[in-house]
Amino acid sequence: MFNKISQKLILLALGPVIFFSLILFVLINFIFVNTIEKNFKQKLNDSSIYVNQTINGIIERETSKVSILARETELNILIKEGYKKTGIPYKIYKTKNGVPYVKFKKVKTKFDYLVSLTYWKEAMYNQANNRYRGLELFNEDGKIIGRSSGKKKMLKTKDYDNMVMAVLNKNTVFKRKKIVSRIEVNEGLLYLKIFVPVPTDSNNPYGGIILSYPLDRDALLEIKGKTESELKFLDEDFNSKYSTILFKSNNEILNYKDYKELIKKGIPFKIKNRGEYAIAIPFTNVKDKNIGYILIIKRIKELQELEDKFQNIIIIVSIILIILISFVILLEAHKIIEQINKLVLGIENIENEEYEVIEDGEFDIYEFELLRKKYNAMILNLKRNIEGINYRDEALTRMNEELMMVIKEKEKAYKMSIRDGLTKLYNHKYFQEKLLEEIKKSKRYGASLSLIMLDIDYFKKFNDDYGHQVGDKVLINLSKVLRDTIREYDIAARYGGEEFMVILPNTDQIGVRVLAERVRQVVEKTKVENLKVTISLGITTFPVGCKEIKENEDPVKIRDIMIKQVDEALYKSKEKGRNRVTEYIGGES
């Protein structure tokens, strides 16, 4: 399609566009150089991810080891009862047939703990690494009872350490199994500490074990395998403590204070006069204070040498191609742009909702003439589509208006179906549904749910002595008092005749007692047709007042039990002389 355009552009390519070529040359060179640095910075960022993944892997691996040890019978007996395995018969554990199988003795000195912990360390690690690890035991109160310190630089755990108390569930009312870890530094050595409860599968452990694992040169070498970079550990003063570099050169950097701001922010940086890029990963203690950094270092010298060999060739080829393309484009640009502008103008007219076709004879290039015909066909098709859309929009608008009227009528009918006609409170059916719903919520979230049942004292007397109109006014007045007294999300309903129910979500025994008494006092002080009105009330609270209900009881049965309880409590109020509140508690009112 575009052969004619190409031929015209080539014929008109008479000379290079020098200025345009120079700009592109500078741009390509700039992009090329920045791509090198960007590539290395991205590799450094990827390496920092690998470092975190490897450290997390070390934590998971060592946690698994300690968790296995925490399930050992000997360790459980040592912490729980203070006995250790020995050849001296002191305490004998027997099988079902009475045959003794293990002998234990009472632990009397910390040396006994040290011997056992040293034995377990030897089982977990080889001899070369054993002395760099530490194990500590603590009892159910959080006090350290035994320690095998490993390397002397290991920071010893204090009695009642916050992590220890977290493992023992001492700092929360919610019992849960918990394994925690933290990183700490002492005398320039970085340690990973893992706190594991004993036994691990209990919400109420009777002690625990702590592993201290050094992140020293051996650990850095393990991490290096993932990152393919050299690693250094810097202390909080940015001094290099140990690294994966086995042989130090004469210009080896031992202090990185010149880069401390970049290190703190975790920004990749270039090390002066060394052809290296670096990025730091910080480590913080429990108080979020930086205690050290792992510095990831990548050398760029070899890659730069390789890229330098091809840089000049790429730049020269790029410049030649740019000159040739610019040659062609600049010579024919004015003619092409003029015809493109005509198409752009037509598109702009579409944005302004002006759907006009482009007249014949506007384009003298064959390819643009084809575009004009396609554009005109699109405009005609667009007009037809818009007319169809407008017609459907009008039909949909009418349908929506009719649908909204139906919805409003249904909403009105539903609201009337759940309300009592006289009092405008909720009716009996709606009360039964909402009480069941609130019981399910209470069981799911463990919240208190209270229920009030109230009855107008001597209501029949109002109807018989003063007429049903006065009786209706008494009912209406009581419903108004309830609406004014209860909270927005409480539910008041006419249960039947002169009986009313109030559902109180998230309300305990004290709260329901206070509200019920307030309603009783307001009703007593409010006269209807100059007549004194009093009410009797029965209250209950789930689950406190429903001790006979089983934990997994059906909500429908719970609803029936609660209604029965408030009914019995209301009956007691009547029996005791009316005009009072009676609470149902555990089988009696």
Side-chain angles (χ1 to χ4, degrees), residues 10 15 18 36 107 138 144 149 166 189-190 222 248 283 313 324 328 413 433 440 474 573 579:
I10 293 171
I18 299 174
I36 297 174
V107 175
F138 53 93
I144 302 299
S149 297
L189 188 61
L190 200 65
E222 180 180 348
K248 294 183 178 179
F283 290 99
I313 297 174
L324 291 175
V328 174
E433 294 172 352
K440 291 177 181 177
V474 171
S573 291
N579 192 24

Side-chain angles (χ1 to χ4, degrees), residues 166 168-178 203-204:
L168 292 172
N169 284 318
K170 297 293 186 182
N171 55 359
T172 176
V173 296
F174 300 101
K175 300 297 182 183
R176 60 187 185 278
K177 292 177 286 187
K178 191 170 187 180
N203 288 329
N204 297 287

Side-chain angles (χ1 to χ4, degrees), residues 76-105:
N76 279 257
I77 293 174
L78 180 63
I79 294 179
K80 183 179 181 182
E81 302 187 29
Y83 284 85
K84 65 171 288 185
K85 186 177 179 182
T86 179
I88 303 172
Y90 186 89
K91 184 169 184 178
I92 300 175
Y93 283 73
K94 297 181 179 180
T95 60
K96 291 182 179 179
N97 56 12
V99 178
Y101 67 97
V102 178
K103 298 175 181 180
F104 290 84
K105 77 169 186 178

Side-chain angles (χ1 to χ4, degrees), residues 187-189 217 233-235 239-243 248 254:
E187 298 184 16
L189 188 61
R217 176 173 290 174
F233 172 68
L234 309 181
D235 63 15
N239 295 312
S240 175
K241 287 295 183 180
Y242 44 84
S243 69
K248 294 183 178 179
L254 300 178

Side-chain angles (χ1 to χ4, degrees), residues 396-458:
L396 286 173
T397 300
R398 290 193 298 271
M399 289 175 63
N400 286 338
E401 290 173 354
E402 293 172 0
L403 184 60
M404 289 302 299
M405 291 177 63
V406 172
I407 291 172
K408 288 180 180 179
E409 288 297 323
K410 286 187 175 181
E411 287 179 349
K412 183 178 178 181
Y414 173 74
K415 289 179 181 179
M416 292 177 65
S417 70
I418 63 173
R419 294 283 181 177
D420 175 64
L422 178 64
T423 63
K424 306 307 178 185
L425 297 178
Y426 292 112
N427 57 24
H428 181 95
K429 180 177 179 295
Y430 185 82
F431 161 78
Q432 293 282 355
E433 294 172 352
K434 291 302 290 184
L435 179 56
L436 183 61
E437 180 182 322
E438 293 300 332
I439 288 171
K440 291 177 181 177
K441 287 182 183 178
S442 177
K443 289 188 68 178
R444 186 182 308 124
Y445 302 114
S448 296
L449 173 66
S450 295
L451 183 64
I452 300 174
M453 185 176 191
L454 54 104
D455 182 271
I456 300 171
D457 297 331
Y458 306 111

